[in-house]
Amino acid sequence: MDGAHRAALQLQQLPPASSADPVSEASFSYKENLIGALLAIFGHLVVSIALNLQKYCHIRLAGSKDPRAYFKTKTWWLGLFLMLLGELGVFASYAFAPLSLIVPLSAVSVIASAIIGIIFIKEKWKPKDFLRRYILSFVGCGLAIVGTYLLVTFAPNSHEKMTGENIIRHLVSWPFLLYMLVEIILFCLLLYFYKERNANNIVVILLLVALLGSMTVVTVKAVAGMLVLSIQGNLQLDYPIFYVMFVCMVATAIYQAAFLGQASQMYDSSLIASVGYILSTTVAITAGAIFYLDFLGEDVLHVCMFALGCLIAFLGVFLITRNRKKAIPFEPYISMDAMPDEGAG
């Protein structure tokens, strides 16, 4: 009896083993979010610089008789290298942070393109004219930065290992199957009106892009997460679901680029950037919330502040792109990552 009593007292005196777990898990989640956000911001920024460098090359050699003269310039190849580096950063970011955080951060591309575009403009403006001409861009950049800050601060903290078992479990869950059914029906209806009824409205085309893009980012996160786990020693490449996700990622990205190309032939790039960013971000966050359960367990305040960050970023992107004029000799490009679906393409 005495031995049993002493053992019971010792068990009572032991501190709970899990008492520090919530704190350590929260700290780990925040670090993962921060790593993912920094990778995404870095990637979008570098891609935006790369595309502007290549655009600058094309403009300088516009009068050349050789249509491929830009291949011989170091600037164009530097742009290509930076583009690959940036895309790699965006791709890697999906492995660390929730999809709902990474997707809206493509606003960084719009901010960077606006700033770079102003720097590269050759015309000289008086201070008053310059301020009047670019006031919307400055306000838009400010709003987009505030929105990005709120997104990073109040992002969901869902961190699940992207193992083959977890991916399959999410893939066959009834909420995602229901979402896929609705998305397929909507996609087929939009495609019918676009092809058969000649409904060339920009919202129709970019909604097709957004629906495809939502599947792109879902598969990108799965592929990136499984690759990172494999590099860390937990091999996931022997799961067939990895190759299914990889094929879906490539296929949806290709068709998405095709629809974007068709939209660019009919509408101004700034309009495509703003409308596409809003639609693609909204649909992608919805897909991530359903497939990866990003907001499961989050309190209402965090969800509301995150939504507010999205709305502020949307408004900022709209103001930045609205201020662009075709008459500008150097029109800043927006990377394909401004459409979150191409983030890892």
Side-chain angles (χ1 to χ4, degrees):
M1 291 292 293
D2 292 339
H5 182 65
R6 282 196 300 269
L9 286 176
Q10 288 176 357
L11 286 174
Q12 288 178 1
Q13 293 171 357
L14 287 175
S18 60
S19 61
D21 283 350
V23 177
S24 61
E25 287 181 4
S27 176
F28 175 76
S29 296
Y30 178 77
K31 288 179 181 178
E32 291 257 296
N33 278 10
L34 186 60
I35 292 172
L38 290 177
L39 281 172
I41 291 171
F42 168 79
H44 288 304
L45 179 63
V46 171
V47 168
S48 184
I49 294 172
L51 288 174
N52 277 285
L53 280 174
Q54 291 187 326
K55 179 64 176 178
Y56 180 68
C57 241
H58 282 279
I59 290 176
R60 285 188 60 190
L61 300 174
S64 175
K65 295 180 180 180
D66 184 1
R68 297 186 178 182
Y70 52 87
F71 282 135
K72 302 175 183 178
T73 63
K74 294 180 180 179
T75 306
W76 191 89
W77 286 104
L78 175 62
L80 180 62
F81 170 76
L82 290 177
M83 186 187 302
L84 294 174
L85 180 64
E87 293 288 358
L88 181 62
V90 175
F91 179 81
S93 68
Y94 282 90
F96 293 95
L99 186 153
S100 301
L101 168 60
I102 300 301
V103 168
L105 291 180
S106 55
V108 173
S109 292
V110 186
I111 300 172
S113 292
I115 296 172
I116 294 171
I118 293 174
I119 293 173
F120 273 86
I121 290 175
K122 300 297 183 180
E123 299 179 21
K124 294 181 179 180
W125 299 81
K126 294 180 180 179
K128 290 183 178 179
D129 294 334
F130 183 85
L131 184 61
R132 190 185 307 114
R133 174 68 180 80
Y134 293 105
I135 185 65
L136 286 180
S137 289
F138 291 135
V139 174
C141 285
L143 288 174
I145 291 172
V146 171
T148 301
Y149 172 78
L150 290 176
L151 289 171
V152 175
T153 304
F154 296 98
N157 285 318
S158 61
H159 290 274
E160 183 181 35
K161 295 295 184 182
M162 291 293 103
T163 61
E165 294 92 343
N166 288 336
I167 299 296
I168 294 173
R169 179 169 54 84
H170 288 305
L171 197 60
V172 298
S173 64
W174 71 263
F176 182 71
L177 292 177
L178 181 61
Y179 171 81
M180 279 300 300
L181 178 63
V182 173
E183 179 166 311
I184 290 172
I185 293 173
L186 181 57
F187 183 86
C188 291
L189 286 173
L190 289 172
L191 190 61
Y192 170 77
F193 283 109
Y194 176 58
K195 293 292 186 181
E196 301 297 329
R197 301 284 183 172
N198 293 321
N200 294 330
N201 186 280
I202 188 171
V203 175
V204 173
I205 303 174
L206 293 183
L207 198 50
L208 288 168
V209 172
L211 292 173
L212 286 169
S214 66
M215 290 300 98
T216 304
V217 293
V218 165
T219 52
V220 163
K221 180 168 180 59
V223 171
M226 294 177 80
L227 282 175
V228 168
L229 282 180
S230 299
I231 293 172
Q232 292 174 346
N234 186 2
L235 187 63
Q236 300 296 314
L237 303 185
D238 53 351
Y239 286 94
I241 191 63
F242 172 82
Y243 302 98
V244 172
M245 287 292 192
F246 181 82
V247 170
C248 290
M249 177 185 74
V250 174
T252 53
I254 290 173
Y255 281 107
Q256 182 187 351
F259 281 117
L260 276 175
Q262 295 171 25
S264 65
Q265 295 175 5
M266 294 182 281
Y267 296 97
D268 181 60
S269 61
S270 61
L271 184 62
I272 294 174
S274 58
V275 177
Y277 173 75
I278 293 170
L279 291 177
S280 296
T281 301
T282 303
V283 177
I285 289 177
T286 303
I290 294 173
F291 188 89
Y292 292 110
L293 306 175
D294 281 350
F295 295 96
L296 186 65
E298 295 292 327
D299 58 74
V300 177
L301 176 61
H302 272 71
V303 174
C304 290
M305 292 301 294
F306 181 84
L308 178 63
C310 286
L311 292 175
I312 293 175
F314 290 167
L315 180 58
V317 169
F318 173 76
L319 291 178
I320 293 171
T321 55
R322 185 182 178 182
N323 200 44
R324 293 185 180 174
K325 304 295 182 182
K326 292 182 179 180
I328 296 177
F330 181 82
E331 181 184 2
Y333 265 33
I334 294 177
S335 79
M336 292 294 286
D337 295 298
M339 322 295 293
D341 4 58
E342 292 281 319

